[in-house]
């Protein structure tokens, strides 16, 4: 992987983006539009700068993960969901389950895109998997029916607290011919969520009827109306949404560094 970086224009001075007194519209020529406020500006981090204009793939159809990545400047993502079956045994520990599932997703999409002669190989690929874990260790995924959905939320309320576990896998291809041809980094994050024990059955039924949580692990979305069910969160909030942003950025930085070091090592061996 090339270590060259695209030129970056220096950001404007603070004076240029600071609020100024609004001009009197009566003093402006007819048809003149007032300037819109600027900012925030993208993060000027080496890893993110190196990815600008490059092909970055999110191996997930989740609009929440796409939105979270957009917050750190990865807004021009290519969405390619994995076609790998998610049929691992629930007898695995939650950490093993999400990590193996996220790794399968990443490898599935990577193998499908690495030899794309039209668009070229991706510079980075991100995959993730999230499950909700009941206090007894049972892995909860998306509810399959309204009856199951209501029962799932009642169990989460009655148990008081539960865990949300997310695995993130990030891959970057190598320019060299070194096996396996890519650098890969992964992590697993756990957040404890406490439901309000005073939630009534009517409230849970009303939430289920909105269908907001029908496509979400555990049957609720904390970033939406599902926040009404939650008393507190102990840990990373974005992890409950579906992608722990801080650790994902660290993985991106690490995998790009690994890929660069592997390529440099491969060049040294050839010499």
């Amino acid at each position: 992987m090339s270590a060259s970086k695209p030129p970056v224009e220096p950001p404007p001075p603070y004076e240029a983006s600071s609020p100024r007194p609004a001009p009197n519209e009566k003093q402006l020529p007819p048809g003149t539009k007032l300037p819109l406020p600027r900012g925030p500006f993208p993060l000027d981090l080496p890893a993110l700068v190196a990815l600008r204009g490059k092909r970055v793939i999110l191996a997930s159809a989740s609009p929440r993960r796409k939105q979270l990545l957009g917050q750190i400047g990865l807004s021009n993502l290519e969405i390619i969901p994995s076609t790998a079956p998610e049929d691992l045994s629930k007898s695995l520990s939650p950490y093993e389950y999400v990590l193996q599932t996220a790794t399968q997703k990443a490898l599935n999409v990577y193998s499908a895109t690495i030899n794309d002669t039209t668009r070229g190989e991706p510079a980075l690929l991100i995959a993730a998997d999230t499950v909700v874990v009941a206090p007894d260790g049972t892995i909860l995924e998306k509810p399959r029916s309204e009856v199951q959905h209501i029962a799932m939320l009642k169990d989460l309320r009655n148990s008081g607290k539960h865990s949300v576990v997310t695995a993130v896998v990030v891959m970057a291809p190598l320019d060299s011919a070194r096996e396996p041809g890519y650098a890969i980094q992964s992590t697993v994050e756990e957040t404890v969520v406490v439901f309000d024990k005073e939630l009534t059955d009517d409230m849970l039924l009303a939430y289920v009827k909105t269908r907001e949580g029908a496509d979400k692990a555990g049957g609720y979305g904390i970033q939406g109306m599902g926040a009404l069910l939650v008393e507190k969160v102990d840990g990373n909030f974005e992890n409950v949404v579906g992608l722990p942003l801080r650790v994902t950025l660290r993985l991106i930085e690490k995998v790009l560094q690994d890929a660069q070091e592997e390529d440099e090592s491969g060049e040294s061996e050839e010499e």
Side-chain angles (χ1 to χ4, degrees), residues 174-237:
L174 304 180
D175 288 337
S176 67
R178 297 189 60 153
E179 293 292 337
Y182 54 80
I184 186 169
Q185 287 286 333
S186 62
T187 192
V188 179
E189 186 90 355
E190 180 177 3
T191 301
V192 175
V193 179
V194 179
F195 264 28
D196 181 0
K197 285 192 173 183
E198 295 183 2
L199 287 170
T200 64
D201 289 353
D202 287 342
M203 176 63 184
L204 295 179
L205 178 59
Y207 179 73
V208 168
K209 293 292 186 181
T210 70
R211 300 297 296 273
E212 180 188 73
D215 64 340
K216 298 173 179 62
Y220 70 97
I222 196 170
Q223 73 281 3
M225 290 179 286
L228 296 170
L229 313 180
V230 176
E231 181 178 314
K232 65 179 179 177
V233 173
D234 184 9
N236 188 299
F237 178 83

Side-chain angles (χ1 to χ4, degrees), residues 100-253:
Q100 290 187 29
T101 301
T103 302
Q104 286 182 353
K105 291 179 179 180
L107 292 172
N108 173 268
V109 176
Y110 181 85
S111 63
T113 58
I114 190 62
N115 295 318
D116 189 334
T117 56
T118 303
R119 299 183 180 181
E121 68 179 23
L124 187 78
L125 186 146
I126 303 168
D129 189 62
T130 299
V131 294
V132 172
V133 185
D136 63 359
T138 302
I139 295 174
L140 306 177
E141 294 190 297
K142 301 170 185 177
R144 297 182 178 179
S145 68
E146 185 173 288
V147 172
Q148 185 189 43
H149 196 173
I150 295 171
M152 186 180 292
L153 293 180
K154 285 182 178 180
D155 287 344
L156 293 178
R157 175 199 60 190
N158 297 339
S159 63
K161 65 180 181 179
H162 58 275
S163 296
V164 178
V165 182
T166 298
V168 183
V169 177
V170 181
M171 300 178 67
L174 304 180
D175 288 337
S176 67
R178 297 189 60 153
E179 293 292 337
Y182 54 80
I184 186 169
Q185 287 286 333
S186 62
T187 192
V188 179
E189 186 90 355
E190 180 177 3
T191 301
V192 175
V193 179
V194 179
F195 264 28
D196 181 0
K197 285 192 173 183
E198 295 183 2
L199 287 170
T200 64
D201 289 353
D202 287 342
M203 176 63 184
L204 295 179
L205 178 59
Y207 179 73
V208 168
K209 293 292 186 181
T210 70
R211 300 297 296 273
E212 180 188 73
D215 64 340
K216 298 173 179 62
Y220 70 97
I222 196 170
Q223 73 281 3
M225 290 179 286
L228 296 170
L229 313 180
V230 176
E231 181 178 314
K232 65 179 179 177
V233 173
D234 184 9
N236 188 299
F237 178 83
E238 288 85 4
N239 188 52
V240 187
V241 179
L243 191 73
L245 202 54
R246 173 176 48 83
V247 295
T248 300
L249 177 56
R250 289 181 182 174
L251 288 182
I252 292 171
E253 293 173 328

